[in-house]
Amino acid sequence: MATDPRPEDRFTVGLWCTAFAGREVFGSEVRPPLDPMENIRGLAAAGCWGFNFHDDDLVPFGSSASETDRILAHTRRVMADEGIAVGMATCNMFEHPVFKDGALTSNDARVRAYARQKAMRAADMGAELGAETFVMWGGREGLEVEASKDPREAIKRYREGVEFVAAYILGNELGMKVAIEPKPNEPRGDIFLPTAGHVLGFIATLEPELQRIVGVNPEIQHSRMVGIDTVHDLAQCLDAGKLFHTDLGAQKPTRFDQDLRFGAEDIKETFFVVKLLEESGWTGTRAFDVKPYRSDAPEEVWDLVRGCIRSYLILREKVAQWAADAEIQELVVALDVADPELEAMSAWSVDNARALREVTFDPDALAARRLGYQRLDQLTFELLAGVRG
Ligand code: GLT
Ligand code: MN
Ligand code: MN
């Protein structure tokens, strides 16, 4: 089984993932800080083609322009040394207290302006290091107190902010696409643009020439938090031509954002995520947004990275096996029933509508068709469980 990553697989991991030292609401750090350059070297050694970063992951918050340049130059040297690229860059608009009540959707015009300025600087950093995507995750763009924000005004402000950043990237030819990452809640009680569907609807309201470079970054874990089907989420973004990035990981449904190792939960749904990406001819990076357990020792964060990559490659092999399994394919092929005569009438026209009204159907006969889903799902399970071939 081919479980060694190849450069063309383009696996990436966020610097914030491996640097996560374990601080959360109930406890402090359990691991020492991980130096960003050591982090980049560690990701390269673990088999990553690239890494993803927030401005503040690399360049400490509040650094001067010259300090920023120095760090970026150093980063470029480490990247060349390790043969590692950057997949996506993003702006941390959630950590500093200035963003306590939102960034682009803050009620305070000064905070909104500051957020746009920080996003421009982060976009510059991304372009400098060759990122192809600029992710916008609006973690603080939400509320706990319904009375605190006019939701229509907040969405209008969100649009203004996204348009500003997209126009900056386009106007300065930074060569990146923007991918908005939805999340239903956490850290806010409710976050604006909670699902991929909301983001798709929102993108359709942007300035037409900016729409082209704005898409979605759905995260498996965030879809599972609201209990919706991740595969369908991704498929809908693909259908709209808007799957610009995707954050892969694992999550038990309806809990806080767990960011577990890819493949750690619901192997069957994860298999169908890989199947969808691979069969769609996905050319983006294969990006993991995961967190080590709080109980992990410092060196175990690399096991997390290796595990994600291995699980993806194992599931990709399973996709090929599923496609080559004669019994499964026989069931799959039988699912589609063609009817050339009826299909010829499926496009709207007055004539087709008139002809369709005259057709006689036998609904009981149609309903009597056996679908074989019990068998199909069992065979899929058995293949994944390793007991077929
Ligand atoms: C943060 C969040 C992730 C986002 C990252 C990008 S940061 O960890 O939970 O889902 O992708 O801002
Ligand atoms: Mn994410
Ligand atoms: Mn997450």
Side-chain angles (χ1 to χ4, degrees):
M1 194 176 270
T3 51
D4 284 332
R6 296 164 308 172
E8 59 268 34
D9 296 329
R10 306 216 299 151
F11 288 112
T12 68
V13 170
L15 292 184
W16 66 91
C17 301
T18 34
F20 175 62
R23 178 166 58 99
E24 33 88 313
V25 239
F26 299 102
S28 59
E29 285 80 357
V30 290
R31 286 177 289 273
L34 178 58
D35 170 74
M37 301 306 140
E38 286 317 304
N39 198 352
I40 294 169
R41 290 188 195 280
L43 291 175
C48 291
W49 166 87
F51 67 90
N52 308 317
F53 73 100
H54 297 93
D55 47 356
D56 302 346
D57 296 339
L58 262 188
V59 179
F61 183 90
S63 297
S64 65
S66 60
E67 183 62 0
T68 303
D69 289 345
R70 192 193 63 74
I71 295 172
L72 291 181
H74 186 198
T75 308
R76 269 199 308 272
R77 282 197 297 276
V78 173
M79 286 169 66
D81 228 32
E82 298 292 337
I84 190 168
V86 163
M88 68 90 146
T90 181
C91 181
N92 183 329
M93 295 202 278
F94 46 86
E95 198 163 346
H96 191 281
V98 68
F99 301 125
K100 66 185 179 189
D101 194 27
L104 299 175
T105 64
S106 167
N107 286 332
D108 187 330
R110 296 164 304 175
V111 174
R112 295 199 299 277
Y114 175 63
R116 291 198 292 266
Q117 182 196 71
K118 193 170 189 290
M120 285 191 285
R121 290 181 178 164
D124 288 342
M125 290 184 202
E128 181 95 26
L129 298 184
E132 54 198 65
T133 314
F134 187 73
V135 164
M136 295 184 77
W137 173 62
R140 294 281 169 202
E141 313 296 3
L143 49 77
E144 291 76 35
V145 177
E146 204 59 64
S148 69
K149 287 193 177 85
D150 174 342
R152 296 179 66 198
E153 192 57 30
I155 291 162
K156 214 172 102 203
R157 287 170 173 165
Y158 212 160
R159 176 166 39 249
E160 204 173 68
V162 168
E163 285 182 342
F164 191 97
V165 174
Y168 177 79
I169 289 174
L170 200 61
N172 289 285
E173 297 178 9
L174 298 188
M176 292 181 290
K177 283 183 163 183
V178 175
I180 302 174
E181 180 175 344
K183 189 173 183 182
N185 59 275
E186 194 204 12
R188 300 313 299 262
D190 281 287
I191 297 180
F192 300 118
L193 305 182
T195 68
H198 289 82
V199 175
L200 286 173
F202 176 76
I203 291 171
T205 70
L206 300 178
E207 286 280 341
E209 75 273 19
L210 297 175
Q211 269 185 41
R212 193 168 48 80
I213 68 151
V214 182
V216 194
N217 175 33
E219 175 176 307
I220 289 183
Q221 299 90 286
H222 299 176
S223 309
R224 293 233 170 103
M225 284 172 74
V226 272
I228 54 178
D229 187 313
T230 311
V231 188
H232 298 181
D233 244 13
L234 292 172
Q236 185 125 21
C237 294
L238 279 169
D239 177 72
K242 289 296 181 192
L243 189 68
F244 283 9
H245 194 271
T246 176
D247 278 354
L248 304 171
Q251 166 86 24
K252 283 184 197 287
T254 68
R255 287 162 169 79
F256 67 94
D257 189 17
Q258 296 175 309
D259 292 326
L260 299 169
R261 194 182 63 260
F262 186 70
E265 292 295 328
D266 203 332
I267 296 171
K268 199 165 45 170
E269 190 168 324
T270 315
F271 164 79
F272 282 103
V273 165
V274 175
K275 182 173 178 295
L276 180 78
L277 286 177
E278 296 300 321
E279 290 176 353
S280 74
W282 175 243
T283 55
T285 57
R286 290 171 177 80
F288 300 112
D289 185 5
V290 289
K291 281 193 177 60
Y293 303 130
R294 199 156 177 276
S295 49
D296 280 343
E299 53 292 356
E300 283 178 298
V301 306
W302 311 114
D303 292 342
L304 165 71
V305 175
R306 287 199 184 87
C308 287
I309 293 175
R310 239 179 108 73
S311 301
Y312 189 100
L313 292 171
I314 290 168
L315 288 175
R316 189 162 73 184
E317 289 277 321
K318 293 284 179 189
V319 170
Q321 204 184 325
W322 197 89
D325 187 302
E327 215 177 331
I328 290 176
Q329 288 313 310
E330 196 185 320
L331 287 166
V332 170
V333 167
L335 295 179
D336 243 1
V337 177
D339 189 313
E341 208 177 308
L342 288 175
E343 284 172 297
M345 299 177 203
S346 61
W348 163 257
S349 74
V350 173
D351 286 349
N352 279 345
R354 194 175 299 128
L356 182 57
R357 289 183 71 114
E358 301 309 315
V359 178
T360 308
F361 289 96
D362 181 350
D364 293 333
L366 293 178
R369 183 177 160 234
R370 267 178 65 157
L371 298 172
Y373 290 165
Q374 287 294 349
R375 187 102 192 99
L376 179 59
D377 197 54
Q378 178 69 21
L379 290 177
T380 301
F381 166 79
E382 290 188 11
L383 185 140
L384 291 175
V387 296
R388 279 183 79 72

